[in-house]
Amino acid sequence: MALLPVTRFLTDMTSSHPFGEIKRRGLMLVLSSPSGAGKTTISRAILAADSNVSMSVSCTTRKKRPGEVAGVDYHFVSGEEFNLMVNRGELLEFARVFDNMYGTPREPVEQSLRMGGDVLFDIDWQGTQQLAEKARDDLVSVFILPPSARELERRLIARARDDKAEIGRRMERASDEMSHWAEYDYVVVNRNLRDSVEKVRAILESERLHRRRQEGLADFVRQLQQGV
Ligand code: 5GP
C-alpha cells in the first residue's frame, strides 16, 4: 500500500523571529477522548487554522463509514496488510480498538518532525502511551472530556452513524477511555467548541516555544552575543 505523505506539507520549517529564523523541531500533538466528545471537530478546526500542522492519517482494519475518504480519514487496510506493516516496523504505534486494529504510519510523522512540522494525532490512550515510551520529548498530549454524560450520549445518538448496539458499547468504552485522563499533559472540557479550539491552540503555541524544541536557539544567542 502506498502511503500518502502527511497532508498539507509544510513550507514554513522554522519559527519566524524578528531578528532571524530559529530552527525548530516539530511536535506531536495528540488529542484523545471518548468517542463523541468533539475531538474530530476540534482537530479539523486546528488544521484549518494552522498551516504548520498536518494530520497523521492512521491505518485501520475497520470498514469505511459513509462519507469517509480513503487516504484522508484513514488508510483502510486488510488484517494481512496491517500485520505486514507491524512486522516491518512501519507503525510508530498500534492498538486494538473496538475489535479493529489501528496504527500510525511512522515515516510521514518522522519526516514532518525533522522538518519542523507539527503533527496532529487522533489516537486512543494505548497509542498515546506507546508514543510517550518512544518519543516523550516530542509528545504533547491533550485529553478532551465531554461536558456531561448526558451530552456525550446525545452526541453519540445524534451522529446516528453507528447502530444502537454500537452506541451502547461506545458509552461503556467511554467510561474506560476517560479513566486515562490523568496520563495526559493537558485536559480540556469541551463545553463550547470555539473555546476548546482556542485552548488547544494556546497549548500548541506554548509548546512550540519550549526551549528544547527550538534547536537553533544556541546559535541564535551566540550571534546575539557576538553582535551579529
Ligand atoms: P473510529 O473508528 O471511531 O474512527 O476510531 C475509534 C478510536 O480509535 C478513536 O478513539 C481513535 O482515537 C482511535 N484511533 C484512530 N486511529 C488510531 C491509531 O492510529 N492508533 C490508536 N492507538 N488509536 C487510533
Side-chain angles (χ1 to χ4, degrees), residues 174-200:
S175 161
D176 250 21
E177 183 82 26
M178 284 190 286
S179 67
H180 292 276
W181 66 273
E183 295 159 26
Y184 284 71
D185 299 325
Y186 300 91
V187 178
V188 172
V189 178
N190 185 21
R191 293 199 173 84
N192 169 290
L193 180 64
R194 193 181 300 177
D195 286 354
S196 300
V197 170
E198 281 317 306
K199 283 175 184 159
V200 176

mmCIF file of all heavy atoms in Angstrom, residues 174-200:
data_model
loop_
_atom_site.group_PDB
_atom_site.id
_atom_site.type_symbol
_atom_site.label_atom_id
_atom_site.label_comp_id
_atom_site.label_asym_id
_atom_site.label_seq_id
_atom_site.Cartn_x
_atom_site.Cartn_y
_atom_site.Cartn_z
ATOM 1 N N ALA A 174 -16.493 4.603 26.689
ATOM 2 C CA ALA A 174 -16.181 5.990 27.036
ATOM 3 C C ALA A 174 -15.714 6.068 28.489
ATOM 4 O O ALA A 174 -14.749 6.762 28.813
ATOM 5 C CB ALA A 174 -17.409 6.872 26.825
ATOM 6 N N SER A 175 -16.386 5.326 29.346
ATOM 7 C CA SER A 175 -16.035 5.331 30.762
ATOM 8 C C SER A 175 -14.616 4.784 30.937
ATOM 9 O O SER A 175 -13.796 5.334 31.684
ATOM 10 C CB SER A 175 -17.077 4.499 31.509
ATOM 11 O OG SER A 175 -16.584 4.115 32.732
ATOM 12 N N ASP A 176 -14.321 3.714 30.214
ATOM 13 C CA ASP A 176 -12.968 3.118 30.215
ATOM 14 C C ASP A 176 -11.922 4.114 29.762
ATOM 15 O O ASP A 176 -10.903 4.321 30.406
ATOM 16 C CB ASP A 176 -12.955 1.994 29.171
ATOM 17 C CG ASP A 176 -12.882 0.645 29.813
ATOM 18 O OD1 ASP A 176 -13.245 0.554 30.991
ATOM 19 O OD2 ASP A 176 -12.485 -0.300 29.089
ATOM 20 N N GLU A 177 -12.220 4.709 28.601
ATOM 21 C CA GLU A 177 -11.286 5.661 27.977
ATOM 22 C C GLU A 177 -11.019 6.837 28.930
ATOM 23 O O GLU A 177 -9.889 7.266 29.112
ATOM 24 C CB GLU A 177 -11.905 6.152 26.656
ATOM 25 C CG GLU A 177 -11.048 7.084 25.826
ATOM 26 C CD GLU A 177 -10.017 6.381 24.955
ATOM 27 O OE1 GLU A 177 -10.224 5.213 24.592
ATOM 28 O OE2 GLU A 177 -8.993 7.028 24.655
ATOM 29 N N MET A 178 -12.108 7.327 29.559
ATOM 30 C CA MET A 178 -11.974 8.512 30.421
ATOM 31 C C MET A 178 -11.133 8.223 31.666
ATOM 32 O O MET A 178 -10.581 9.139 32.249
ATOM 33 C CB MET A 178 -13.355 9.050 30.809
ATOM 34 C CG MET A 178 -13.994 9.802 29.654
ATOM 35 S SD MET A 178 -15.485 10.695 30.102
ATOM 36 C CE MET A 178 -16.668 9.381 30.289
ATOM 37 N N SER A 179 -11.017 6.951 32.037
ATOM 38 C CA SER A 179 -10.220 6.636 33.221
ATOM 39 C C SER A 179 -8.738 6.943 32.993
ATOM 40 O O SER A 179 -7.949 6.940 33.925
ATOM 41 C CB SER A 179 -10.419 5.167 33.614
ATOM 42 O OG SER A 179 -9.863 4.334 32.630
ATOM 43 N N HIS A 180 -8.360 7.244 31.765
ATOM 44 C CA HIS A 180 -6.944 7.521 31.455
ATOM 45 C C HIS A 180 -6.611 9.006 31.423
ATOM 46 O O HIS A 180 -5.495 9.387 31.059
ATOM 47 C CB HIS A 180 -6.559 6.867 30.123
ATOM 48 C CG HIS A 180 -6.561 5.374 30.212
ATOM 49 N ND1 HIS A 180 -5.490 4.654 30.685
ATOM 50 C CD2 HIS A 180 -7.535 4.478 29.953
ATOM 51 C CE1 HIS A 180 -5.804 3.368 30.694
ATOM 52 N NE2 HIS A 180 -7.033 3.239 30.258
ATOM 53 N N TRP A 181 -7.559 9.857 31.821
ATOM 54 C CA TRP A 181 -7.354 11.301 31.710
ATOM 55 C C TRP A 181 -6.070 11.764 32.387
ATOM 56 O O TRP A 181 -5.374 12.652 31.878
ATOM 57 C CB TRP A 181 -8.562 12.049 32.285
ATOM 58 C CG TRP A 181 -8.722 11.863 33.769
ATOM 59 C CD1 TRP A 181 -9.393 10.853 34.391
ATOM 60 C CD2 TRP A 181 -8.181 12.687 34.800
ATOM 61 N NE1 TRP A 181 -9.301 10.987 35.751
ATOM 62 C CE2 TRP A 181 -8.565 12.117 36.036
ATOM 63 C CE3 TRP A 181 -7.402 13.849 34.814
ATOM 64 C CZ2 TRP A 181 -8.197 12.660 37.262
ATOM 65 C CZ3 TRP A 181 -7.039 14.394 36.036
ATOM 66 C CH2 TRP A 181 -7.438 13.804 37.241
ATOM 67 N N ALA A 182 -5.722 11.133 33.518
ATOM 68 C CA ALA A 182 -4.588 11.638 34.305
ATOM 69 C C ALA A 182 -3.232 11.341 33.658
ATOM 70 O O ALA A 182 -2.200 11.831 34.120
ATOM 71 C CB ALA A 182 -4.647 11.066 35.716
ATOM 72 N N GLU A 183 -3.232 10.542 32.574
ATOM 73 C CA GLU A 183 -1.962 10.241 31.893
ATOM 74 C C GLU A 183 -1.592 11.319 30.876
ATOM 75 O O GLU A 183 -0.554 11.249 30.243
ATOM 76 C CB GLU A 183 -2.083 8.894 31.161
ATOM 77 C CG GLU A 183 -2.276 7.727 32.119
ATOM 78 C CD GLU A 183 -2.893 6.508 31.442
ATOM 79 O OE1 GLU A 183 -2.749 6.339 30.220
ATOM 80 O OE2 GLU A 183 -3.535 5.720 32.174
ATOM 81 N N TYR A 184 -2.476 12.301 30.708
ATOM 82 C CA TYR A 184 -2.277 13.308 29.661
ATOM 83 C C TYR A 184 -1.663 14.592 30.226
ATOM 84 O O TYR A 184 -1.830 14.901 31.405
ATOM 85 C CB TYR A 184 -3.619 13.598 28.966
ATOM 86 C CG TYR A 184 -3.967 12.466 28.015
ATOM 87 C CD1 TYR A 184 -4.347 11.210 28.500
ATOM 88 C CD2 TYR A 184 -3.833 12.623 26.652
ATOM 89 C CE1 TYR A 184 -4.612 10.157 27.644
ATOM 90 C CE2 TYR A 184 -4.095 11.573 25.781
ATOM 91 C CZ TYR A 184 -4.477 10.341 26.286
ATOM 92 O OH TYR A 184 -4.726 9.299 25.426
ATOM 93 N N ASP A 185 -0.959 15.326 29.361
ATOM 94 C CA ASP A 185 -0.332 16.575 29.805
ATOM 95 C C ASP A 185 -1.381 17.643 30.101
ATOM 96 O O ASP A 185 -1.228 18.447 31.009
ATOM 97 C CB ASP A 185 0.596 17.123 28.703
ATOM 98 C CG ASP A 185 1.721 16.170 28.364
ATOM 99 O OD1 ASP A 185 2.207 15.484 29.293
ATOM 100 O OD2 ASP A 185 2.118 16.095 27.182
ATOM 101 N N TYR A 186 -2.431 17.687 29.279
ATOM 102 C CA TYR A 186 -3.470 18.717 29.403
ATOM 103 C C TYR A 186 -4.844 18.068 29.300
ATOM 104 O O TYR A 186 -4.998 17.043 28.623
ATOM 105 C CB TYR A 186 -3.364 19.747 28.262
ATOM 106 C CG TYR A 186 -2.047 20.489 28.222
ATOM 107 C CD1 TYR A 186 -0.967 20.004 27.465
ATOM 108 C CD2 TYR A 186 -1.878 21.680 28.920
ATOM 109 C CE1 TYR A 186 0.246 20.692 27.435
ATOM 110 C CE2 TYR A 186 -0.667 22.374 28.883
ATOM 111 C CZ TYR A 186 0.382 21.877 28.141
ATOM 112 O OH TYR A 186 1.569 22.555 28.105
ATOM 113 N N VAL A 187 -5.831 18.696 29.953
ATOM 114 C CA VAL A 187 -7.213 18.220 29.839
ATOM 115 C C VAL A 187 -8.109 19.415 29.503
ATOM 116 O O VAL A 187 -8.016 20.470 30.139
ATOM 117 C CB VAL A 187 -7.694 17.560 31.156
ATOM 118 C CG1 VAL A 187 -9.144 17.121 31.030
ATOM 119 C CG2 VAL A 187 -6.811 16.368 31.519
ATOM 120 N N VAL A 188 -8.930 19.256 28.473
ATOM 121 C CA VAL A 188 -9.861 20.318 28.069
ATOM 122 C C VAL A 188 -11.283 19.757 28.136
ATOM 123 O O VAL A 188 -11.566 18.718 27.544
ATOM 124 C CB VAL A 188 -9.554 20.796 26.622
ATOM 125 C CG1 VAL A 188 -10.630 21.762 26.118
ATOM 126 C CG2 VAL A 188 -8.173 21.455 26.550
ATOM 127 N N VAL A 189 -12.156 20.414 28.878
ATOM 128 C CA VAL A 189 -13.571 20.011 28.906
ATOM 129 C C VAL A 189 -14.272 20.769 27.772
ATOM 130 O O VAL A 189 -14.264 21.997 27.747
ATOM 131 C CB VAL A 189 -14.231 20.346 30.265
ATOM 132 C CG1 VAL A 189 -15.715 19.951 30.253
ATOM 133 C CG2 VAL A 189 -13.501 19.621 31.393
ATOM 134 N N ASN A 190 -14.819 20.021 26.843
ATOM 135 C CA ASN A 190 -15.372 20.635 25.630
ATOM 136 C C ASN A 190 -16.812 21.113 25.841
ATOM 137 O O ASN A 190 -17.767 20.485 25.394
ATOM 138 C CB ASN A 190 -15.285 19.633 24.470
ATOM 139 C CG ASN A 190 -15.740 20.252 23.157
ATOM 140 O OD1 ASN A 190 -15.759 21.483 23.008
ATOM 141 N ND2 ASN A 190 -16.107 19.403 22.213
ATOM 142 N N ARG A 191 -16.942 22.280 26.515
ATOM 143 C CA ARG A 191 -18.292 22.838 26.744
ATOM 144 C C ARG A 191 -18.726 23.657 25.548
ATOM 145 O O ARG A 191 -19.882 23.738 25.208
ATOM 146 C CB ARG A 191 -18.287 23.745 27.975
ATOM 147 C CG ARG A 191 -18.037 22.998 29.248
ATOM 148 C CD ARG A 191 -18.476 23.777 30.482
ATOM 149 N NE ARG A 191 -18.345 22.902 31.644
ATOM 150 C CZ ARG A 191 -17.203 22.734 32.300
ATOM 151 N NH1 ARG A 191 -16.121 23.380 31.938
ATOM 152 N NH2 ARG A 191 -17.139 21.898 33.323
ATOM 153 N N ASN A 192 -17.729 24.284 24.920
ATOM 154 C CA ASN A 192 -18.019 25.187 23.815
ATOM 155 C C ASN A 192 -16.907 25.001 22.789
ATOM 156 O O ASN A 192 -15.729 25.104 23.120
ATOM 157 C CB ASN A 192 -18.027 26.614 24.390
ATOM 158 C CG ASN A 192 -18.063 27.665 23.312
ATOM 159 O OD1 ASN A 192 -17.087 27.862 22.585
ATOM 160 N ND2 ASN A 192 -19.182 28.339 23.201
ATOM 161 N N LEU A 193 -17.317 24.709 21.560
ATOM 162 C CA LEU A 193 -16.339 24.325 20.551
ATOM 163 C C LEU A 193 -15.275 25.400 20.338
ATOM 164 O O LEU A 193 -14.072 25.111 20.333
ATOM 165 C CB LEU A 193 -17.052 24.008 19.235
ATOM 166 C CG LEU A 193 -16.108 23.592 18.115
ATOM 167 C CD1 LEU A 193 -15.391 22.297 18.456
ATOM 168 C CD2 LEU A 193 -16.859 23.458 16.807
ATOM 169 N N ARG A 194 -15.721 26.652 20.173
ATOM 170 C CA ARG A 194 -14.766 27.718 19.877
ATOM 171 C C ARG A 194 -13.744 27.872 21.010
ATOM 172 O O ARG A 194 -12.547 28.011 20.767
ATOM 173 C CB ARG A 194 -15.517 29.034 19.645
ATOM 174 C CG ARG A 194 -14.600 30.074 19.029
ATOM 175 C CD ARG A 194 -15.277 31.381 18.805
ATOM 176 N NE ARG A 194 -16.431 31.263 17.913
ATOM 177 C CZ ARG A 194 -17.232 32.293 17.617
ATOM 178 N NH1 ARG A 194 -17.025 33.468 18.144
ATOM 179 N NH2 ARG A 194 -18.232 32.142 16.790
ATOM 180 N N ASP A 195 -14.226 27.830 22.260
ATOM 181 C CA ASP A 195 -13.313 27.945 23.407
ATOM 182 C C ASP A 195 -12.329 26.781 23.434
ATOM 183 O O ASP A 195 -11.139 26.965 23.701
ATOM 184 C CB ASP A 195 -14.100 27.914 24.728
ATOM 185 C CG ASP A 195 -14.836 29.208 24.962
ATOM 186 O OD1 ASP A 195 -14.643 30.162 24.172
ATOM 187 O OD2 ASP A 195 -15.624 29.258 25.928
ATOM 188 N N SER A 196 -12.839 25.594 23.145
ATOM 189 C CA SER A 196 -11.962 24.418 23.208
ATOM 190 C C SER A 196 -10.874 24.514 22.143
ATOM 191 O O SER A 196 -9.707 24.184 22.395
ATOM 192 C CB SER A 196 -12.767 23.137 23.006
ATOM 193 O OG SER A 196 -13.734 23.038 24.001
ATOM 194 N N VAL A 197 -11.247 24.964 20.947
ATOM 195 C CA VAL A 197 -10.254 25.106 19.875
ATOM 196 C C VAL A 197 -9.203 26.136 20.298
ATOM 197 O O VAL A 197 -7.997 25.907 20.150
ATOM 198 C CB VAL A 197 -10.927 25.530 18.549
ATOM 199 C CG1 VAL A 197 -9.895 25.906 17.505
ATOM 200 C CG2 VAL A 197 -11.824 24.415 18.034
ATOM 201 N N GLU A 198 -9.644 27.250 20.881
ATOM 202 C CA GLU A 198 -8.695 28.275 21.323
ATOM 203 C C GLU A 198 -7.756 27.720 22.388
ATOM 204 O O GLU A 198 -6.563 28.025 22.400
ATOM 205 C CB GLU A 198 -9.441 29.513 21.857
ATOM 206 C CG GLU A 198 -9.971 30.413 20.753
ATOM 207 C CD GLU A 198 -8.965 30.625 19.615
ATOM 208 O OE1 GLU A 198 -7.829 31.044 19.904
ATOM 209 O OE2 GLU A 198 -9.297 30.345 18.448
ATOM 210 N N LYS A 199 -8.300 26.901 23.274
ATOM 211 C CA LYS A 199 -7.467 26.327 24.338
ATOM 212 C C LYS A 199 -6.408 25.395 23.744
ATOM 213 O O LYS A 199 -5.241 25.457 24.123
ATOM 214 C CB LYS A 199 -8.336 25.576 25.350
ATOM 215 C CG LYS A 199 -9.054 26.536 26.280
ATOM 216 C CD LYS A 199 -10.008 25.812 27.206
ATOM 217 C CE LYS A 199 -10.766 26.851 28.025
ATOM 218 N NZ LYS A 199 -12.004 26.347 28.580
ATOM 219 N N VAL A 200 -6.812 24.563 22.806
ATOM 220 C CA VAL A 200 -5.833 23.634 22.216
ATOM 221 C C VAL A 200 -4.786 24.425 21.421
ATOM 222 O O VAL A 200 -3.597 24.111 21.441
ATOM 223 C CB VAL A 200 -6.528 22.560 21.343
ATOM 224 C CG1 VAL A 200 -5.500 21.669 20.666
ATOM 225 C CG2 VAL A 200 -7.482 21.721 22.175
#
